Amino acid sequence: MKAQFTLNGEGHAADVSDETLLSDYLRDTLGLTGTHIGCDTSQCGACNVLVDGAPVKSCTLLVVTLDGASITTIEGLGQPDALHPMQAAFRRAHALQCGFCTPGMVMAGIGIARRHGPEVDDETIRHELEGNLCRCTGYQNIVAAIREGAREMER
Ligand code: FES
Ligand code: FES
């Protein structure tokens, strides 16, 4: 089956079986391995991408349902010399302990910032991160990065 959508700012036509998951398609077919797969129970959030600007677990999405959507992966979010404000905040706040959960955390952070604005508090951030697992228990700096990133995104 075919689906046409925008991927990292460019038009894309996918021709896939109707059970192909977006996470597998991104990684295995397109080589966009910045989207990680950290579980098989849709709990970890490492696979988050932005769909029409909102973070979604790509392991829960069938490619064929994405016709007309706009998808952004971590590869399309910023560039090394022009990071997205949320990426820059993660770097500044030392929120990159493992690197494995990081792309999904950045995407979740963008969603939190867009929903709650620049004054979002730590309690709200922690609550909203319940769909993103940090297995090394390093949430402290991740929360700080999202708080800072939300303020920077507003500028
Ligand atoms: Fe999608 Fe874990 S791989 S939630
Ligand atoms: Fe990635 Fe903790 S920082 S699992």
Side-chain angles (χ1 to χ4, degrees):
M1 295 183 71
K2 296 187 190 305
Q4 289 197 321
F5 46 85
T6 302
L7 178 60
N8 293 337
E10 296 189 1
H12 183 81
D15 190 355
V16 293
S17 69
D18 56 7
E19 69 264 21
T20 302
L21 295 171
L22 179 60
S23 51
D24 292 335
Y25 184 69
L26 291 171
R27 291 178 55 82
D28 300 340
T29 302
L30 302 184
L32 294 173
T33 54
T35 298
H36 294 162
I37 297 175
C39 72
D40 56 9
T41 51
S42 300
Q43 285 180 305
C44 76
C47 64
N48 272 346
V49 299
L50 299 179
V51 178
D52 297 331
V56 184
K57 292 175 176 177
S58 61
C59 73
T60 68
L61 286 178
L62 296 171
V63 175
V64 293
T65 67
L66 295 169
D67 209 44
S70 178
I71 298 159
T72 304
T73 69
I74 197 74
E75 291 88 349
L77 197 60
Q79 296 303 315
D81 56 352
L83 295 177
H84 184 282
M86 190 60 73
Q87 291 174 305
F90 268 67
R91 185 170 68 176
R92 271 197 305 277
H94 304 290
L96 301 156
Q97 291 149 132
C98 77
F100 194 85
C101 71
T102 308
M105 291 286 188
V106 168
M107 296 305 192
I110 290 170
I112 292 168
R114 286 183 175 155
R115 284 194 300 281
H116 295 282
E119 300 306 322
V120 63
D121 59 41
D122 288 10
E123 188 181 347
T124 301
I125 293 170
R126 287 180 182 278
H127 178 71
E128 298 247 342
L129 275 182
E130 69 179 1
N132 286 73
L133 298 182
C134 168
R135 292 180 169 94
C136 61
T137 71
Y139 286 98
Q140 194 70 27
N141 289 356
I142 292 169
V143 170
I146 292 173
R147 187 192 331 119
E148 184 183 325
R151 292 177 189 23
E152 291 295 321
M153 280 174 61
E154 189 69 12
R155 293 190 179 181

